[in-house]
Amino acid sequence: SQVPSDKTDAILSLPLLELSGRLQEGSLSPRTVLYTYIQKALEVTQQTNCVQCFIPECEEQLQEIEKQREKGLLYGIPVSIKDHIGHEGHLSTCGLVKFLGIPEKEDSVLVKVLKKQGAIPFAKTNVPQSLFNYDCSNLIFGQTLNPLNHQKTPGGSSGGEGALIAGGGSLLGIGSDIGGSIRLPCSFCGLCGLKPTAKRLSLSGISGPVDGIVSVLCALGPMARDVDSLALCMKALLCEEMFRLDPTVPPIPFNEEVYSSSAPLRIGYYDTDGYFPLPPCMQRAVHETREALQAAGHEVIAVISTHRSVKEMWDHQHQIEVYRSEFIAQWKELQLDVMLCPVLGPAFTIGFPGKLLSAISSTMLYNVLNFPAGVVPVSTVTEADEEELKLYRGCCDDLWDRMLKQAVEGAVGLPVAVQCVALPWQEELCLRFMKEVETLSRAKRAV
């Protein structure tokens, strides 16, 4: 009621970098921006059930930053956070009833750093029960819907974040990723998202459904509408405050020179892991992106030999470290800078995701290897894709192939994305590659 509708529409249409610039110069106030996004988030969650709770303490943070003389990199930016990222006084349920009635006693390190940089955490978002699912539903808060198509899931486990940002109710969100939990919602909802190397961002104050998961590590990362927003978030978080609060985080600040470079890249690519072929539209996205990258002057090399052992890796988990070493060795032998590959999608019909956990190989591979990996939307599902899907037989025309085919049917107009990967600790290079893919895909769509 405090912000005229014409002004809210103008604010909601601003990209993060432009909004940040206006907040920094004072032509927009943090109060106006915060109320605008709270109002929009309420509207989006009424339609999609994506918000776990709003954070009333955002008013206190608003008053705090209004007093500050120095403005942080995220000054006045409303930020949404995933359910299990600790915020003082609020629940981190992981979608499990057993965590009800146990509010967090203090902010997680990540929330502390966000606040230090002037951001305003204003909402926590929904997750699937236990976090380990490609859907976004639990017995406490219910089912979250994809804002682009309510018959489809927003993905998981950062599905509440995906739905809120895609619906326009948040400009920047923080998710987490073990088996694609940032990348899948971004793929399903048409967003950009980055899974950094594990421990590049602090995990202190982050809850989990069970203890002792060490073979595949969780990573926190940003989700947004464009790659520049991800880069600004990483630049803000990789600061002395995070390194001071959590000494286990390597003190590696954001390398702006790498992100801003325009040097040609040497890119490896593949369109299947050789074990679980993806729907035709996702493979099409890889090939169209490859062609655009080649036309832009980058060197693109087909990579196929590593995938013969993917299935064996899953059958023999103790081979993960051996596989990781072999994969990095081949990467270096080919002198690759980055890798282009598929990501699971398009969005599944609600009800299928829990049955499709075996479909993770193309997405989860880089968690096992602990590589930074990001998702960029490059296209949409066409009528031709839908017709081709009718002839799709997958790898063996077995139960999993048929189930995947049913899950992705009826997706015309929904986003199609690709995955961009770099070697460990090279988040800036991964983001730079994502930015190149984003720029080329936007140019193609504009023609």
Side-chain angles (χ1 to χ4, degrees):
S1 63
Q2 296 187 32
V3 184
S5 60
D6 59 335
K7 193 168 186 179
T8 63
D9 292 343
I11 290 172
L12 293 170
S13 68
L14 293 174
L16 177 57
L17 262 62
E18 188 173 346
L19 177 64
S20 176
R22 296 195 185 188
L23 286 164
Q24 294 280 351
E25 70 186 18
S27 60
L28 277 176
S29 74
R31 185 173 299 274
T32 299
V33 173
L34 175 62
Y35 291 165
T36 295
Y37 270 97
I38 289 177
Q39 178 180 333
K40 183 62 177 180
L42 180 59
E43 175 187 320
V44 174
T45 197
Q46 287 171 340
Q47 298 171 353
T48 64
N49 189 38
C50 57
V51 173
Q52 186 250 59
C53 72
F54 286 93
I55 301 173
E57 294 85 351
C58 66
E59 288 276 358
E60 298 174 11
Q61 172 65 1
L62 175 64
Q63 294 170 12
E64 182 65 28
I65 67 169
E66 287 177 334
K67 299 175 186 175
Q68 294 175 353
R69 292 185 178 180
E70 293 187 10
K71 297 178 180 179
L73 289 177
L74 296 175
Y75 174 76
I77 301 295
V79 177
S80 49
I81 58 175
K82 189 175 178 178
D83 167 283
H84 71 134
I85 298 174
H87 190 292
E88 182 179 0
H90 293 273
L91 299 174
S92 298
T93 70
C94 301
L96 297 172
V97 172
K98 72 174 185 176
F99 291 123
L100 291 177
I102 311 174
E104 297 287 353
K105 295 181 180 178
E106 65 174 320
D107 290 341
S108 59
V109 166
L110 185 129
V111 168
K112 290 177 180 177
V113 176
L114 283 172
K115 291 181 176 180
K116 180 72 174 179
Q117 288 285 19
I120 307 176
F122 75 102
K124 298 193 79 174
T125 52
N126 201 24
V127 294
Q129 183 174 336
S130 83
L131 306 181
F132 295 111
N133 203 304
Y134 287 171
D135 196 4
C136 190
S137 174
N138 60 70
L139 296 177
I140 306 170
F141 303 107
Q143 174 75 53
T144 298
L145 308 177
N146 189 318
L148 307 179
N149 182 331
H150 288 183
Q151 303 304 311
K152 299 287 187 176
T153 175
S157 62
S158 306
E161 281 300 321
L164 184 60
I165 299 169
S170 179
L171 198 61
L172 177 65
I174 306 296
S176 64
D177 195 316
I178 288 182
S181 290
I182 286 173
R183 290 162 288 161
L184 267 293
C186 287
S187 172
F188 289 8
C189 295
L191 303 174
C192 297
L194 174 70
K195 179 207 81 71
T197 310
K199 299 185 179 180
R200 183 81 198 259
L201 298 177
S202 174
L203 294 170
S204 178
I206 309 303
S207 301
V210 293
D211 295 327
I213 300 176
V214 295
S215 61
V216 182
L217 300 175
C218 175
L220 298 184
M223 301 167 64
R225 301 174 200 167
D226 56 60
V227 178
D228 280 338
S229 300
L230 306 181
L232 176 62
C233 182
M234 291 297 291
K235 186 188 302 185
L237 292 174
L238 295 173
C239 63
E240 289 301 323
E241 183 73 1
M242 177 166 286
F243 307 147
R244 181 184 68 81
L245 291 172
D246 188 349
T248 68
V249 175
I252 309 171
F254 189 85
N255 191 326
E256 180 65 38
E257 183 178 351
V258 171
Y259 178 62
S260 301
S261 173
S262 58
L265 295 169
R266 186 175 169 87
I267 303 163
Y269 85 93
Y270 64 89
D271 63 3
T272 174
D273 60 13
Y275 174 48
F276 199 98
L278 296 177
C281 64
M282 308 309 288
Q283 297 184 37
R284 170 178 64 80
V286 172
H287 289 287
E288 290 179 350
T289 303
R290 169 184 60 82
E291 292 170 359
L293 288 165
Q294 287 176 321
H298 301 285
E299 186 176 4
V300 187
I301 304 162
V303 177
I304 57 174
S305 59
T306 58
H307 305 118
R308 177 179 52 82
S309 60
V310 170
K311 185 179 186 300
E312 287 80 2
M313 182 179 69
W314 297 123
D315 291 341
H316 306 284
Q317 289 292 306
H318 64 276
Q319 295 183 8
I320 287 177
E321 282 304 315
V322 174
Y323 182 83
R324 182 176 187 272
S325 299
E326 291 176 350
F327 195 93
I328 292 176
Q330 188 192 41
W331 188 304
K332 292 183 176 179
E333 181 182 346
L334 294 173
Q335 298 181 327
L336 302 178
D337 294 313
V338 288
M339 183 82 77
L340 171 71
C341 57
V343 61
L344 196 58
F348 292 168
T349 301
I350 290 173
F352 280 98
K355 302 174 183 178
L356 281 166
L357 288 176
S358 73
I360 59 178
S361 53
S362 285
T363 297
M364 180 128 172
L365 175 61
Y366 297 107
N367 282 76
V368 175
L369 301 176
N370 196 20
F371 287 19
V375 164
V376 181
V378 296
S379 182
T380 56
V381 180
T382 65
E383 293 284 356
D385 290 327
E386 197 77 3
E387 288 300 313
E388 188 174 357
L389 182 65
K390 293 177 181 178
L391 304 175
Y392 174 75
R393 293 293 179 268
C395 181
C396 309
D397 196 23
D398 61 8
L399 172 64
W400 295 114
D401 292 322
R402 292 192 294 273
M403 195 176 293
L404 176 63
K405 180 178 177 178
Q406 293 173 29
V408 301
E409 286 176 338
V412 173
L414 292 181
V416 173
V418 295
Q419 187 170 193
C420 304
V421 185
L423 288 172
W425 310 109
Q426 294 186 5
E427 282 71 22
E428 296 87 347
L429 182 58
C430 185
L431 286 165
R432 183 260 157 118
F433 180 33
M434 292 170 66
K435 179 67 176 177
E436 184 74 8
V437 170
E438 177 187 55
T439 300
L440 293 173
S441 67
R442 287 183 174 179
K444 179 179 178 181
R445 280 177 279 178
V447 174

